[in-house]
Amino acid sequence: YNSGSDARFLGLVPKRVGRNQRFATQGVLPTGAERFRYLVVTQESVSATSRRVPTQPGRVVLQGQLNLG
């Protein structure tokens, strides 16, 4: 994430966050990921059957500076 008009969707966490309030995911970052300054995690409401990607980001629950160096 750099701004509202300069961001990239990376995917959904494969399992619902449990009682321990932790989640984990893995994958390959897209080409050019080093140009982004922040990583932002949002809370999304996704149906278990459709798993449709949201058209707008939900409420920000975690954000921080992205350092790939």
Side-chain angles (χ1 to χ4, degrees):
Y1 176 92
N2 287 326
S3 71
S5 62
D6 188 15
R8 176 122 3 123
F9 177 77
L10 296 179
L12 299 169
V13 174
K15 292 186 179 184
R16 186 179 184 100
V17 175
R19 289 182 185 204
N20 66 3
Q21 300 296 303
R22 295 181 183 192
F23 71 89
T25 189
Q26 65 182 20
V28 177
L29 291 174
T31 302
E34 67 280 352
R35 72 178 193 79
F36 289 99
R37 296 178 57 206
Y38 302 98
L39 180 66
V40 177
V41 177
T42 60
Q43 180 179 7
E44 306 298 336
S45 178
V46 178
S47 165
T49 56
S50 74
R51 303 218 16 118
R52 198 175 312 154
V53 174
T55 57
Q56 295 290 322
R59 181 176 67 94
V60 173
V61 295
L62 179 67
Q63 65 183 25
Q65 190 170 357
L66 180 63
N67 183 353
L68 298 176

